[in-house]
Amino acid sequence: MSTLLTPATTTRGTRPRTSGGRYPQALLHHIVAPPLRIPEAAAAAVFSAARLRGPIARDVIAQATGLSIATVNRQVTALLDAGLLRERADLAVSGAIGRPRVPVEVDHEPYLTLGIHLGARTTSIVATDLLGRTLDVVETPTPHGSQTAALAAIAGSARTYLRRWHRRRPLWVGVASGGVVDSTTGYLDHPRLGWSDAPVGSVLAESLGLPVSLASHVDAMAGAELLLGVRRQPTRTTTSLYVYARETVGYALSIGGQVHSPASGPGTIAGLPAHSDLLGGTGALESTVSDEAVLTAARAAGFIPTGGPAATVTAVLKAARRGDERAVALVTERARVLGEAVALLRDMLNPDDLVVGGQAFTEYPEAMGTVEAAFVGRSVLPRRDLRVTAFGNRVQEAGAGVVSLSGLYADPIGAMRRAQARRAAV
């Protein structure tokens, strides 16, 4: 019996959780740490082949996965019974006899998963199909005030959003967030929002009646590159470094096809040394390259107002594209600092693959040449290419989406059983 979706027993810091008794211990059964890794189990490998290459015949699945044809036949039958695959008799090879020659593909139309990206300023709610494609996304300001009221508001928004989808059945909820995420119990510490031990998983499980997975947002984005990005499959020794920058900065490391997620929470690069006379800051990376740092410098330069709808990073970028030399100088300087920071991380970790993402990199692609030049100039190791995320400015929604899908991708039959059991219990 698969144990991929059994909640883990380790917890961040192993400190006791208290929530006033409001959320019963039984709800923790519906919180599942997301397995952000390339699928290995037989059913998961077959489902992955169908997802990535379908419609696909069983013998081709056997060749692609290295499984025996007997194993493939058993897993295809189980996935058909679970409602995750469908046969395409219309595509069967002419003259072929028997069902094994009938191609199969993912039956994605009846289902969706719900992703939620909790940002310091904006919360995105994302509907994703089983192929990993974004069906729809809505953005709302992240609620402030007490964490209890904020969580209730987010859960209410998600519940209202799901009512739109009359023809698709929701299977899972995935949350990607900054701060320190305890994926095993669904609690979140988010200092920028003023949240401490916020029971995100329990609130959503209770409100939506679905299994819930939570992950650090940078881990989630690295997982999206791993599971949804168009790239060759990593080997067991491949390492990949993902560096993120927008309002915050962060990194994630993937090893052998799995995002490394320490039980004590993600590491931080916010305090890496960084200096810029133009951008100011405290001498640390995040305070130097964040959106707020760019805005503060733009206000000081006098081409962005101190408040109002025009006081945004988007306005700074528009000014740069119009040729405003002050704006160009700011975004170019941020690119330089980021390139040098990525070089420092690369020299410490020396990964096989290096990916950068987040709007600090993608929203003004004109500065990527500066990022790359600073990276090459600062790194002391042999030259290695930087790869920009496959998801562009959609990286947050891709991260939330993959958290909602990763359990299904790792153990598709077990995930369907869990989703059905949770639905029946509500």
Side-chain angles (χ1 to χ4, degrees), residues 321-339:
R321 292 192 178 97
R322 291 195 305 267
D324 188 308
E325 293 182 357
R326 298 164 297 177
V328 171
L330 287 180
V331 295
T332 301
E333 177 69 352
R334 174 157 77 165
R336 178 194 68 79
V337 176
L338 283 171

Side-chain angles (χ1 to χ4, degrees), residues 91-161:
L91 298 179
V93 177
S94 178
I97 300 174
R99 290 180 66 188
R101 299 300 300 170
V102 177
V104 295
E105 65 182 6
V106 172
D107 191 7
H108 59 89
E109 293 173 351
Y111 310 111
L112 64 81
T113 61
L114 187 74
I116 300 173
H117 179 265
L118 289 174
R121 297 186 176 183
T122 303
T123 291
S124 301
I125 301 176
V126 186
T128 306
D129 72 9
L130 301 193
L131 297 174
R133 300 177 300 192
T134 297
L135 300 172
D136 182 60
V137 58
V138 295
E139 292 187 349
T140 61
T142 299
H144 291 275
S146 76
Q147 67 186 36
T148 299
L151 286 176
I154 291 167
S157 296
R159 190 167 56 247
T160 300
Y161 181 75

